[in-house]
Amino acid sequence: MHKTVKWTAATAMASLLMLAAACSSGNNETGNASESNGTNAMNTTNATDTTNTGSGGNAAAEADPYLGKYDPPITLTSVRIINDTFKFMEGQTIDNNMWTKALEEKLGIKVKYDWVVSGDQPGGQGEQKMNVSIASGDLPEVIPVNAKQLQQLQDAGELEDLTAVYDKYASPFLKEILNQDGPAALSAATFGGKLMAIPNTGSSMDGAAMIWIRTDWLQKLSLEPPKTMADVLKISDAFTNQDPDGNGKKDTYGIAMNKDLYGGFADITGLLNGFHAYPKQWIKDASGNLVYGSVQPEMKQALGALQELYKKGQIDKEFGVKDGGKEAELTTSGKIGMEFGQMWNPLFPLVDNKKNDPNAQWQSFPLVSNDDQPVTPQVGFSTGQYFAVKKGAEHPEAVIKAMNLFVETGWGEATTPENYAAYFTSEGFEKFKMMPFQAWPSRKNLDIYLHITAAIDSKDASKLNAEEQDNYAKIAAFLDGSSKDPLGWAYERIFAKEGSFKVIDGYVNGNQLKMTEFYGAPTPAMVEKDSTLQKREIETFTKIIMGDSLDNFDKFVTEWKKLGGDQITQEVNEWAKSK
């Protein structure tokens, strides 16, 4: 259920990660490492030898179950799936780098890859290679898998039960991180009450939709920020018809959209959520059964609203042939005044609008409702990878100890700028990618916002960790005028007092986020039929928005059910009953 993003993943998320300390695919947590021995992971001293308490006879490792070093060292086999974004510093490789050295020097864990394949996209060479390994039974000790592969290995009885191992060896800090996004991540790796893998967690809250609006246009046209969907429609009309750019031409649009309809920028999800419609998401109906959001009655009303916007010229007439990149060009050239997107949009593409027009100002606002019922922004399941252990492995706890090291290094109480350099360097190397076993705090970015805004109020950045200080410096330089770098503006629009995380903080505090109710492996009918159904959904919705009869939605729902939707729904509900 991870993002089905194309251009956003290649652009915005690359920016979030490579710009050395603002946003990343995980999130920030500080102040909790004292619960896990208060150790600075990259500077942890070796545990002294005591009596053998297990762990394959390695007493030194048992003295500190979280970060104790194996002496003598052990070798842990695994596999890696990489992509073209993996960049190696001089003299380093996927087999020999700062993280493989840290694992050996700090924990006494040598990592040996049975194979390394480039191609991590769904259905790519990496997934295919893993499928071959599963089919042949030629498996390493630590097996990185997706949800479908995890289910296959579990069904085949190939996996070690990690329940007791997790309880003993996962540090309190790692346990907190794995639960920050709610219980779904660990639940997805649990079968019959047994934990069979450790999830590589991310952040669902970071993907919540919001409204980005050119506030300089609002001010010019004497409009207020939206509080209702009617307000959004009023603003869209004004941005289309009242010449907000002042060039005397009717050449602007109220709302941006892209041909894929989703993706995190120029995305219809936030607008649909305002009508209590939840595209591509499994939700509970009034009876407690799971139903597919895209075929519920609320979707028809929302599509009708989009159809009206298109008919009135408030949406680019050519959106149906423009992907996110092309729609971004329209936005950066100053022809768009509002878009439904995600927290990272200032880094792509809004910063380029700011570069082209220094007077342009964008701000994020919470989603608004079409009626008197509160809006509940949908968020997807943020875990796409799991670390399973081959049944009978001598050291099933080793992968957990490695993950303890990863989280303590980046976000433990005693982390340092030197430690943080194990994730990034100023040259843009994403060194965290060298680490084979990861988990990311879901609150990382939200906590950056909370800590930075507190530091702005107090004018005291001394309590910020290394990552937060880096972001604070960029924002402070922009705010005091000592830096004209537009990226400073982008970071300020994300992490400062009126940044996008103010919106997310409001969602979290208001318990508004609506998590998907299905987070299992694709069901058999999904594997066979879902891609066809998804394609038909996009085609139908696009045609309705562009003028087809709204009654075609009802025909689509009937076809969806007959072509596999009913079967998928049955399987999803069977899964839900098994949890």
Side-chain angles (χ1 to χ4, degrees):
M1 288 272 184
H2 219 19
K3 313 283 189 293
T4 54
V5 181
K6 299 174 185 175
W7 40 270
T8 49
T11 52
M13 290 313 293
S15 298
L16 292 171
L17 290 166
M18 291 182 67
L19 289 170
C23 317
S24 79
S25 60
N27 298 354
N28 179 42
E29 179 65 33
T30 60
N32 299 91
S34 58
E35 295 179 4
S36 44
N37 294 345
T39 43
N40 178 339
M42 297 300 283
N43 295 301
T44 302
T45 56
N46 298 342
T48 55
D49 233 353
T50 61
T51 57
N52 187 342
T53 55
S55 187
N58 205 315
E62 284 295 304
D64 175 1
Y66 306 143
L67 293 170
K69 183 177 182 179
Y70 293 100
D71 186 13
I74 65 169
T75 297
L76 200 62
T77 60
S78 189
V79 299
R80 286 304 300 268
I81 301 172
I82 63 175
N83 58 44
D84 292 341
T85 68
F86 279 63
K87 305 298 181 184
F88 301 98
M89 300 179 71
E90 186 175 354
Q92 298 194 352
T93 67
I94 194 67
D95 297 297
N96 181 19
N97 54 68
M98 73 294 300
W99 274 107
T100 59
K101 291 177 180 177
L103 286 169
E104 185 170 357
E105 292 173 2
K106 305 304 177 184
L107 297 181
I109 297 175
K110 298 179 180 180
V111 178
K112 180 180 181 296
Y113 298 123
D114 290 351
W115 49 259
V116 178
V117 169
S118 181
D120 65 347
Q121 69 275 19
Q125 293 185 36
E127 184 176 336
Q128 294 175 28
K129 179 70 172 176
M130 192 73 250
N131 289 339
V132 170
S133 294
I134 291 172
S136 66
D138 185 15
L139 300 169
E141 291 169 293
V142 180
I143 317 164
V145 291
N146 60 30
K148 180 182 177 182
Q149 294 163 340
L150 177 61
Q151 182 73 60
Q152 291 173 328
L153 289 168
Q154 168 63 17
D155 292 344
E158 295 280 1
L159 301 182
E160 185 75 16
D161 178 2
L162 299 179
T163 309
V165 176
Y166 172 78
D167 287 343
K168 179 176 180 179
Y169 291 96
S171 70
F173 190 35
L174 176 61
K175 289 177 179 177
E176 179 185 329
I177 284 172
L178 295 180
N179 283 282
Q180 275 188 6
D181 219 24
L186 287 170
S187 179
T190 300
F191 302 85
K194 297 179 179 180
L195 183 65
M196 306 306 294
I198 309 299
N200 179 1
T201 50
S203 177
S204 60
M205 69 178 74
D206 281 9
M210 57 192 66
I211 314 172
W212 285 97
I213 303 178
R214 279 197 63 167
T215 51
D216 58 313
W217 285 9
L218 281 182
Q219 293 169 3
K220 182 175 181 179
L221 300 179
S222 300
L223 297 169
E224 295 294 325
K227 292 183 173 59
T228 67
M229 186 61 69
D231 293 337
V232 167
L233 302 181
K234 177 182 177 181
I235 292 169
S236 176
D237 179 81
F239 283 179
T240 305
N241 297 307
Q242 295 184 25
D243 192 24
D245 61 353
N247 68 353
K249 301 177 182 179
K250 189 177 178 181
D251 59 355
T252 54
Y253 300 96
I255 296 179
M257 279 179 54
N258 77 84
K259 70 179 183 65
D260 299 311
L261 303 185
Y262 309 110
F265 160 71
D267 181 331
I268 67 172
T269 301
L271 188 144
L272 299 181
N273 289 172
F275 287 86
H276 316 296
Y278 303 96
K280 305 174 73 172
Q281 177 142 321
W282 291 89
I283 60 177
K284 285 185 178 179
D285 65 10
S287 301
N289 296 316
L290 301 194
V291 294
Y292 186 56
S294 291
V295 298
Q296 303 311 304
E298 293 83 0
M299 187 62 67
K300 185 176 183 179
Q301 182 185 11
L303 290 173
L306 283 166
Q307 185 183 76
E308 282 297 307
L309 290 169
Y310 183 83
K311 185 186 301 183
K312 293 176 179 177
Q314 297 176 30
I315 295 172
D316 177 16
K317 292 291 185 183
E318 298 179 352
F319 89 88
V321 295
K322 291 183 178 181
D323 63 13
K326 286 297 182 181
E327 193 68 12
E329 293 176 5
L330 196 64
T331 303
T332 59
S333 64
K335 301 305 178 184
I336 298 288
M338 178 165 48
E339 60 100 0
F340 287 82
Q342 294 180 3
M343 60 89 179
W344 45 262
N345 288 176
L347 285 167
F348 173 86
L350 305 184
V351 69
D352 289 325
N353 181 218
K354 186 71 173 177
K355 291 175 183 177
N356 293 333
D357 179 3
N359 294 319
Q361 180 67 337
W362 291 85
Q363 184 169 330
S364 57
F365 297 93
L367 299 184
V368 293
S369 177
N370 187 55
D371 53 29
D372 59 358
Q373 297 300 306
V375 67
T376 52
Q378 72 182 74
V379 291
F381 184 51
S382 63
T383 299
Q385 184 184 53
Y386 304 83
F387 301 112
V389 177
K390 184 178 180 180
K391 194 169 187 176
E394 184 177 359
H395 291 284
E397 78 287 345
V399 64
I400 297 174
K401 292 166 71 77
M403 294 173 77
N404 289 339
L405 179 69
F406 184 77
V407 300
E408 292 287 351
T409 300
W411 306 288
E413 186 176 63
T415 193
T416 67
E418 291 74 24
N419 280 6
Y420 187 67
Y423 290 77
F424 303 96
T425 68
S426 58
E427 293 80 21
F429 289 98
E430 298 175 294
K431 295 195 288 187
F432 68 89
K433 291 183 176 179
M434 304 303 108
M435 177 57 155
F437 316 118
Q438 303 184 15
W440 291 78
S442 68
R443 284 185 58 93
K444 185 176 91 67
N445 287 330
L446 178 57
D447 281 342
I448 290 175
Y449 158 77
L450 293 172
H451 299 158
I452 284 179
T453 53
I456 290 173
D457 284 339
S458 66
K459 296 182 173 55
D460 178 10
S462 63
K463 296 180 181 179
L464 301 180
N465 68 21
E467 180 177 13
E468 293 162 351
Q469 287 179 3
D470 187 67
N471 286 291
Y472 178 84
K474 290 182 174 69
I475 293 169
F478 169 76
L479 291 175
D480 68 17
S482 60
S483 172
K484 301 299 183 183
D485 184 356
L487 285 175
W489 171 86
Y491 287 125
E492 189 272 340
R493 292 288 84 189
I494 295 171
F495 288 125
K497 300 186 72 171
E498 297 300 323
S500 52
F501 273 92
K502 177 182 179 181
V503 174
I504 292 178
D505 188 40
Y507 291 159
V508 172
N509 288 335
N511 197 29
Q512 292 177 257
L513 296 177
K514 190 178 186 71
M515 176 73 77
T516 180
E517 296 289 343
F518 178 73
Y519 44 83
T523 70
M526 280 183 184
V527 172
E528 181 182 354
K529 301 173 181 180
D530 198 46
S531 61
T532 299
L533 294 177
Q534 293 278 348
K535 182 179 179 181
R536 187 177 292 260
E537 177 179 326
I538 294 293
E539 291 174 347
T540 302
F541 287 8
T542 301
K543 289 179 179 178
I544 288 174
I545 292 168
M546 298 180 76
D548 273 9
S549 171
L550 197 55
D551 290 337
N552 283 351
F553 175 78
D554 301 316
K555 296 178 182 178
F556 160 72
V557 172
T558 300
E559 291 178 355
W560 182 87
K561 291 175 176 288
K562 290 180 179 179
L563 295 175
D566 279 345
Q567 185 180 353
I568 293 173
T569 301
Q570 179 181 344
E571 292 174 349
V572 166
N573 279 280
E574 289 172 353
W575 167 87
K577 292 174 183 177
S578 72
K579 300 307 288 181

